[in-house]
């Protein structure tokens, strides 16, 4: 017997570009007979909150978000309906699954075939080009929802679906080997604190860069080998070189949403080092010395979220207890205040929102 699906729900809606969030208690729920083949309906138990959601709400990226918009893209819940005429569905009603930034892709183009589903020209993006997880029920796609490992807490899994997958993939492609040094600007933030842990799983030595006593404590507890407070250190580049035998780090994974972190990385990377560009500042440009980029044989790689396999791997590592998300549990109705905290930079770790019962 299929679960009963209500006609309305609670949802956090951005009615127009840059407008304030509205909590609507009579937002419509898509019914089973309205689902297209390949679509499924998920009853969410929780959702993470990401800086990307804030960018979508503010509409301050070069790419425009849809409006009206239900944001969010780190949801965990149960499949309660699947569209008619859906063939070979990898999930069934009752399965617990996660929803990611990449909601859907064609799976047939060159990008998809090469494992870059996130770069598919037909990609649908949760909480950006299609409505996302800041609601009790969300339409998703059977081929792109991710099964949550049995026994893994839903609240803990939520942020792994974006923040975890994103940094996991970046570290995976950072051209490093065990024992190498990796620098993590923004290490105390939502992505950064997970990056510390995935880097340690990969056997890397971690230099955490951020500011404040709370973030220092968090980073060191999570396994960072060295800490640099960017507000207290006079010369970050020289400090990093001093910590790495004067040679510089092997890689830098920049999750900070400012251009300064990218420019400095070229200066403190050693010869053959790799800059992994992950943060997505809305208007900033990547400025770097072309001469020293070439002279030092520096690689600059953009790493944009992850594919389906990356998500499975990142979740498996976290489900084994090797990576833990530091999160604060709040309520969907608190979303506006959460955004205020993110804007001021006072959020350490991640925020997860419970859905109304």
């Amino acid at each position: 017997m299929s679960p009963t699906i209500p006609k309305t729900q609670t949802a956090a809606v951005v009615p127009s570009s840059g407008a304030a969030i509205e909590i609507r208690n009579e937002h419509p729920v898509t019914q089973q007979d309205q689902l297209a083949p390949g679509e499924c309906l998920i009853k969410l138990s929780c959702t993470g909150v990401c800086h990307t959601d804030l960018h979508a709400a503010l509409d301050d990226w070069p790419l425009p978000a849809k409006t009206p918009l239900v944001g969010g893209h780190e949801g965990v819940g149960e499949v309660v309906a699947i569209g008619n005429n859906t063939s070979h569905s990898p999930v069934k009603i009752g399965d617990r699954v996660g929803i990611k930034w990449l909601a859907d892709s064609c799976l047939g183009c060159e990008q998809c075939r090469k494992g870059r589903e996130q770069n598919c020209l037909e990609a649908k993006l949760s909480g950006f080009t299609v409505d996302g997880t800041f609601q009790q029920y969300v339409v998703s796609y059977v081929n792109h929802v991710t099964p949550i490992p049995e026994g893994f807490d839903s609240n803990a899994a939520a942020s792994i679906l974006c923040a975890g997958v994103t940094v996991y993939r970046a570290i995976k492609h950072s051209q490093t080997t065990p024992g190498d040094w990796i620098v993590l600007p923004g290490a105390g933030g939502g992505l950064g604190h997970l990056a510390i842990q995935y880097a340690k799983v990969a056997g890397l030595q971690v230099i955490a860069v951020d500011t404040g006593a709370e973030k220092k404590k968090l980073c060191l507890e999570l396994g960072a080998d060295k800490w640099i407070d960017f507000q207290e250190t006079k010369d970050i580049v020289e400090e990093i070189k001093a910590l790495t035998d004067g040679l510089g780090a092997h890689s830098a994974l920049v999750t900070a949403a400012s251009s300064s972190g990218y420019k400095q990385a070229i200066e403190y990377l050693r010869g053959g080092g790799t800059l992994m560009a992950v943060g997505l500042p809305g208007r900033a440009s990547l400025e770097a010395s072309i001469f020293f980029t070439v002279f030092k044989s520096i690689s600059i790689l953009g790493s944009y979220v992850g594919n389906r396999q990356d998500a499975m791997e990142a979740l498996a590592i976290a489900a084994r207890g090797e990576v833990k998300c530091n999160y604060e549990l709040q309520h969907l109705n608190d979303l506006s205040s959460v955004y205020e905290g993110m804007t001021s930079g006072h959020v350490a770790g991640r925020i997860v929102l419970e859905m109304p019962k």
Side-chain angles (χ1 to χ4, degrees):
M1 183 175 178
S2 298
T4 300
I5 299 170
K7 299 293 185 182
T8 61
Q9 61 174 325
T10 300
V13 182
V14 178
S16 59
S17 177
I21 294 169
E22 297 178 0
I23 302 298
R24 298 180 180 176
N25 296 314
E26 299 295 327
H27 194 71
V29 177
T30 300
Q31 301 297 297
Q32 190 279 332
D33 59 4
Q34 297 174 310
L35 294 170
E39 292 182 343
C40 57
L41 186 69
I42 312 298
K43 181 183 180 181
L44 293 172
S45 60
C46 63
T47 179
V49 185
C50 177
H51 267 279
T52 296
D53 301 318
L54 180 57
H55 285 296
L58 296 173
D59 198 22
D60 64 356
W61 271 357
L63 299 174
K66 73 175 283 288
T67 55
L69 174 70
V70 177
H73 60 275
E74 298 180 349
V76 177
E78 177 184 331
V79 179
V80 294
I82 295 175
N84 294 332
N85 302 313
T86 296
S87 60
H88 307 293
S89 174
V91 296
K92 63 184 183 303
I93 292 175
D95 284 356
R96 188 170 62 125
V97 299
I99 295 169
K100 308 179 297 298
W101 172 247
L102 180 62
D104 194 28
S105 69
C106 78
L107 298 180
C109 68
E110 178 185 357
Q111 298 289 349
C112 287
R113 294 194 307 270
K114 288 185 174 181
R116 291 194 297 267
E117 299 146 10
Q118 61 271 42
N119 297 122
C120 174
L121 293 179
E122 297 181 25
K124 297 181 177 72
L125 307 176
S126 297
F128 197 77
T129 63
V130 295
D131 282 340
T133 58
F134 294 154
Q135 56 185 329
Q136 292 172 284
Y137 290 82
V138 60
V139 174
S140 196
Y141 303 84
V142 297
N143 286 318
H144 273 278
V145 292
T146 303
I148 304 299
E150 187 175 351
F152 190 25
D153 179 70
S154 294
N155 293 331
S159 295
I160 302 298
L161 291 161
C162 178
V165 172
T166 297
V167 298
Y168 171 74
R169 180 181 175 89
I171 292 166
K172 184 177 174 180
H173 291 272
S174 64
Q175 303 183 129
T176 52
T177 55
D180 285 354
W181 285 100
I182 188 167
V183 180
L184 303 176
L191 276 76
H193 90 285
L194 292 171
I196 292 171
Q197 298 173 77
Y198 280 112
K200 297 308 293 182
V201 170
L204 302 177
Q205 299 185 82
V206 174
I207 299 174
V209 181
D210 215 314
T211 189
E214 183 180 2
K215 290 187 176 181
K216 177 181 180 179
K217 182 175 182 291
L218 174 64
C219 291
L220 294 177
E221 286 178 347
L222 293 176
D225 299 277
K226 303 293 181 181
W227 162 263
I228 295 176
D229 189 313
F230 66 78
Q231 288 191 341
E232 297 178 357
T233 302
K234 294 180 179 179
D235 192 326
I236 292 176
V237 172
E238 291 305 315
E239 180 72 11
I240 290 173
K241 288 182 177 179
L243 293 172
T244 55
D245 300 321
L247 299 174
H250 298 84
S251 183
L253 193 163
V254 184
T255 60
S258 65
S259 58
S260 60
Y262 294 91
K263 183 177 181 180
Q264 289 174 336
I266 299 300
E267 299 177 31
Y268 63 65
L269 286 172
R270 68 177 63 194
T274 303
L275 167 58
M276 300 303 298
V278 175
L280 286 170
R283 304 296 175 187
S285 298
L286 197 160
E287 296 182 10
S289 165
I290 296 174
F291 179 88
F292 283 107
T293 300
V294 175
F295 186 74
K296 294 168 66 177
S297 301
I298 299 296
S299 298
I300 301 176
L301 302 178
S303 186
Y304 173 52
V305 295
N307 61 23
R308 294 177 297 167
Q309 182 62 28
D310 296 325
M312 298 286 282
E313 293 171 3
L315 279 169
I317 291 169
R320 293 197 298 267
E322 297 181 69
V323 169
K324 295 181 179 180
C325 181
N326 181 68
Y327 66 88
E328 179 184 339
L329 197 59
Q330 296 194 34
H331 193 275
L332 181 62
N333 291 338
D334 300 323
L335 183 57
S336 292
S337 63
V338 170
Y339 279 167
E340 291 173 5
M342 294 171 72
T343 301
S344 64
H346 292 146
V347 175
R350 210 72 172 172
I351 299 293
V352 175
L353 306 178
E354 284 186 303
M355 290 295 148
K357 303 300 183 185

